[in-house]
Amino acid sequence: MEATLTSITTSRTFHSTITPKCSFTFRENISSTRKKTVPATRKLTFSLKRITPIASKVSASSETETTQVVNIPSEMKAWVYGEYGGVDVLKFDEKVAVPQVNEDQVLIKVKAAALNPVDFKRRQGKFKATDSPLPTVPGYDVAGVVVKVGSQVKELKVGDEVYGDIHEKALDGPKQSGSLAEYTAVEEKLLALKPKSLDFAQAAALPLAIETAYEGLEKTGFSAGKSILVLNGAGGVGSLVIQLAKHVFGASNVAATASTAKLDLLKSLGADLAIDYTKENFEDLPEKFDVVYDAIGQCDRAVKAIKEGGSVVALTGAVTPPGFRFVVTSNGEVLKKLNPYLESGKVKPVIDPKGPFPFSQVVEAFSYIETNKATGKVVIHPIP
């Protein structure tokens, strides 16, 4: 490769003739014009970055590299809203900037995403005081392939299939650029390798909901031999609370509420008692529980269903003591811990039968989840 250096304090861009092509810019003071030949096999260091040309692939990350790059465009397709409001504020944009990757992050080529109630509550401005600035690309759950890694990323590498909840704090400063896009940047600590037994749509259905289910159970001190009542057992979180309580924590008795049509689903997930909330009030049952997991917003009734000294974890709605509010903190270690249960099929994602919704129908997907009638998770797949 040949580079010509000319004049004083000259800034030039050079292009490698090696595949894959790369370019770089640097400045150098030179008193006269001269020609300098740089052998193609040498490592070139300019602008504090090292670029190692290899004939067929990009090199593994090194201490001096800021990122690994594999054919990343500067713009991407994404859903965006520039103001708070209903589904009508969602706009499809084909020229959204691909997010920059920090040293502790990876860039993911998104294959699938999923919606959660927090997605539409955020869009409605329910916690705009702690939200990141507009405009926003929505989306918490992601499943996809790593295409770029930061210099401080220790385990993940380009080509890894991963999944996770991309916002560490759900309500406190979530990222501007979410998962309803072709690419999203995420801290390595929030991700885990995708279970091989799951496809991308199934994996995308899990992160926020399964982390909420698991961490909520831990907060109550739930353990083997205890009993639990799950309110809204057919929902995204509730369907996973049933499975985790039964198959991971070792519950002695799992009860759950749902509508008539969904009672068989509750039993298939591991519920010992499926309660039809359209026909009976759970708080009137003679049996009381060590824990009530309120995933619907009925804490005032839930506290009447616990044993003395029992706990109620409330995800939404007003909190009645001794119930307590719980908001998940995204943590890839939880996913790693639960991966064996997902690989074995003991714990399974539940995807609403109306989905997956294609990327072009994100507005329809939001409209549907806002009816509060979805079973399990509303998934967006494929994302081109």
Side-chain angles (χ1 to χ4, degrees):
M1 180 176 67
E2 199 170 69
T4 302
L5 313 181
T6 306
S7 189
I8 298 176
T9 314
T10 300
S11 176
R12 289 186 178 275
T13 300
F14 299 87
H15 300 273
S16 170
T17 58
I18 302 168
T19 303
K21 293 184 179 180
C22 57
S23 63
F24 50 87
T25 302
F26 66 95
R27 300 174 184 272
E28 184 170 339
N29 291 329
I30 302 172
S31 58
S32 61
T33 302
R34 60 189 174 91
K35 181 171 286 189
K36 181 177 181 180
T37 301
V38 183
T41 56
R42 288 179 56 191
K43 293 179 179 179
L44 311 176
T45 304
F46 300 104
S47 302
L48 302 181
K49 294 183 182 179
R50 185 171 71 192
I51 301 172
T52 307
I54 296 181
S56 60
K57 62 181 179 178
V58 178
S59 67
S61 69
S62 67
E63 293 181 359
T64 57
E65 283 179 321
T66 305
T67 53
Q68 277 188 5
V69 184
V70 179
N71 299 324
I72 310 301
S74 60
E75 295 179 332
M76 64 181 182
K77 299 179 180 70
W79 286 90
V80 184
Y81 57 88
E83 59 181 320
Y84 294 115
V87 293
D88 57 299
V89 301
L90 288 162
K91 308 297 180 186
F92 183 72
D93 192 335
E94 296 187 357
K95 293 187 177 297
V96 176
V98 172
Q100 296 296 309
V101 178
N102 296 332
E103 61 182 14
D104 62 339
Q105 293 181 325
V106 301
L107 186 68
I108 298 173
K109 176 64 182 73
V110 181
K111 297 294 186 179
L115 300 185
N116 299 276
V118 69
D119 284 294
F120 67 78
K121 292 176 182 178
R122 182 187 184 191
R123 193 203 67 229
Q124 292 168 347
K126 295 292 179 67
F127 54 95
K128 60 184 176 183
T130 57
D131 198 3
S132 55
L134 297 170
T136 296
V137 174
Y140 284 68
D141 289 322
V142 70
V145 179
V146 175
V147 294
K148 185 176 182 180
V149 300
S151 62
Q152 298 304 311
V153 171
K154 295 178 172 58
E155 296 180 6
L156 296 178
K157 61 185 184 301
V158 170
D160 282 343
E161 296 181 348
V162 296
Y163 73 127
D165 170 6
I166 74 169
H167 303 294
E168 184 170 11
K169 300 291 185 181
L171 308 180
D172 188 7
K175 298 175 177 67
Q176 276 186 286
S177 191
S179 59
L180 291 175
E182 290 183 285
Y183 296 90
T184 193
V186 193
E187 290 79 6
E188 180 184 34
K189 66 181 181 180
L190 307 185
L191 299 169
L193 292 174
K194 179 181 71 66
K196 294 179 181 178
S197 60
L198 302 182
D199 60 29
F200 286 110
Q202 292 171 319
L206 287 166
L208 188 147
I210 202 168
E211 290 176 25
T212 300
Y214 183 86
E215 292 177 25
L217 286 169
E218 280 200 322
K219 290 286 185 183
T220 68
F222 198 75
S223 58
K226 291 187 176 183
S227 61
I228 186 171
L229 169 62
V230 184
L231 305 186
N232 192 23
V237 173
S239 61
L240 288 162
V241 174
I242 293 171
Q243 296 181 76
L244 295 183
K246 190 74 171 182
H247 304 302
V248 178
F249 286 84
S252 61
N253 183 32
V254 178
T257 65
S259 60
T260 308
K262 298 177 181 179
L263 298 181
D264 287 341
L265 171 64
L266 301 187
K267 294 175 183 177
S268 72
L269 296 175
D272 301 294
L273 175 62
I275 303 169
D276 186 342
Y277 71 77
T278 69
K279 297 180 179 179
E280 56 184 330
N281 296 321
F282 62 83
E283 66 268 35
D284 295 334
L285 293 172
E287 183 177 4
K288 302 303 176 184
F289 302 87
D290 294 302
V291 170
V292 176
Y293 202 118
D294 178 16
I296 195 66
Q298 298 176 338
C299 190
D300 57 332
R301 296 171 59 193
V303 295
K304 300 175 184 178
I306 56 172
K307 298 176 180 178
E308 184 176 353
S311 299
V312 176
V313 55
L315 299 185
T316 187
V319 177
T320 302
F324 65 91
R325 165 80 67 237
F326 171 69
V327 179
V328 68
T329 298
S330 178
N331 183 358
E333 292 302 315
V334 171
L335 299 178
K336 293 175 184 177
K337 184 182 297 185
L338 296 176
N339 268 359
Y341 297 94
L342 296 166
E343 289 279 12
S344 67
K346 287 184 177 180
V347 177
K348 302 174 183 178
V350 178
I351 298 176
D352 188 275
K354 288 186 180 295
F357 289 78
F359 195 46
S360 61
Q361 294 183 9
V362 164
V363 171
E364 290 84 350
F366 264 102
S367 296
Y368 179 58
I369 193 174
E370 290 177 46
T371 66
N372 293 318
K373 295 180 179 180
T375 299
K377 292 297 292 291
V378 175
V379 173
I380 311 298
H381 176 79
I383 296 179

